[in-house]
Amino acid sequence: ALQSGFGEGKYARQEPAVHGLWPEVGAYGDSKCVPAADLDPPETLLGCYEDLDFQRHEFAKHGSCAGVADARAYVAATCALAAAPLSLMRGLPNIVEM
């Protein structure tokens, strides 16, 4: 999921950004949780995230069931899938200013 930047509060941003990637488990769908091989949280900021605490939250809540090897693999997959759409979104005019 990407954040447009047009939200309020913590979702208000100057430009679009990555929010996260999550399996559809529990109340969100019928996928089975496939635990990550290594559940240790990321110790450093990785890839396309701008906030270590948020990156840790995303891995703990979503990456831990995404069937990945570890936090680094989860962030790498999230950033790779988000790269092209994020690039397109960043190239669009800011409709709030129009």
Side-chain angles (χ1 to χ4, degrees):
L2 302 176
Q3 295 175 214
S4 66
F6 300 135
E8 295 181 12
K10 65 182 179 180
Y11 299 108
R13 307 180 51 80
Q14 292 298 312
E15 61 180 30
V18 171
H19 184 99
L21 174 69
W22 48 90
E24 295 183 1
V25 296
Y28 304 106
D30 58 6
S31 297
K32 295 194 185 307
C33 174
V34 179
D38 179 354
L39 294 172
D40 289 339
E43 294 298 320
T44 60
L45 199 55
L46 306 167
C48 56
Y49 283 93
E50 299 172 355
D51 180 279
L52 182 58
D53 288 334
F54 184 68
Q55 178 183 266
R56 287 177 177 158
H57 160 80
E58 287 298 299
F59 178 69
K61 185 167 183 184
H62 308 298
S64 60
C65 268
V68 294
D70 56 17
R72 185 171 295 280
Y74 170 75
V75 171
T78 301
C79 295
L81 289 168
L86 202 53
S87 178
L88 288 171
M89 289 173 72
R90 288 179 174 159
L92 296 173
N94 186 338
I95 62 172
V96 173
E97 295 175 1
M98 294 177 77

